[in-house]
Amino acid sequence: KESLIEVCKKNKIQVHTTDTWDDLFFKIWLNKIEPFFPKNRPLIVTEFPASQAALSTIGTTPSGNSFARRFEVFMGGLEIANAFHELTDPTLQRKRFKKDMDLRSETYGETLPKTPIEEDFLEAVEKLPPCAGIAVGIDRLVMLLANEPEIQYLKWLPHF
């Protein structure tokens, strides 16, 4: 966390005492990395930090570093798709949910309401076979194809 704070300060990115490692990672990502992605070709970003796994499995590089088994597809500077290898272990998913709630409580205190663990979701996870999925942002794909820089200009799209 300290090294990320240093990077933020060096790059004039505001840091708050409540910022978690993930908060700092995203501040750097959104301010100093993502804006410089190529606009004229697709880019696929892989091996996100393990803390970015959320609902995905975790892999290990040959050098022993852990990473989230997920990737994002960017085109024209926009995130078009987010994909990951699904975590199908309900016990591990429950532990992640609990760890996340504990971190939120530690970081934000009572200002952030607790999110109950979705038991129905965990039951469904238990029934999943090994699988992967990808979510494609149709609105962002239309933005890219229509050469629209702002999503608000897509008001003509039907609402589903």
Side-chain angles (χ1 to χ4, degrees), residues 49-135:
S51 63
Q52 301 300 307
L55 303 173
S56 74
T57 59
I58 294 182
T60 307
T61 64
S63 62
N65 295 317
S66 296
F67 64 92
R69 293 185 68 206
R70 60 181 288 248
F71 66 88
E72 291 183 358
V73 179
F74 291 83
M75 292 175 62
L78 293 171
E79 179 190 331
I80 300 296
N82 187 358
F84 52 92
H85 185 269
E86 302 275 353
L87 176 61
T88 58
D89 179 341
T91 304
L92 182 53
Q93 188 64 66
R94 179 185 297 283
K95 285 180 185 175
R96 285 192 191 171
F97 284 159
K98 174 116 177 57
K99 182 180 176 186
D100 183 55
M101 284 191 293
D102 291 346
L103 178 62
R104 288 170 53 140
S105 181
E106 178 185 314
T107 304
Y108 303 106
E110 298 302 314
T111 60
L112 211 59
K114 291 191 184 222
T115 306
I117 291 178
E118 294 287 337
E119 297 300 330
D120 291 344
F121 174 77
L122 292 175
E123 277 183 40
V125 164
E126 189 170 25
K127 296 172 186 168
L128 283 175
C131 57
I134 187 165

Side-chain angles (χ1 to χ4, degrees), residues 2 19 22 26 37 64 78 117 119 121 139 144:
E2 294 305 316
D19 284 344
D22 287 316
F26 275 114
F37 286 169
L78 293 171
I117 291 178
E119 297 300 330
F121 174 77
D139 54 348
L144 180 70

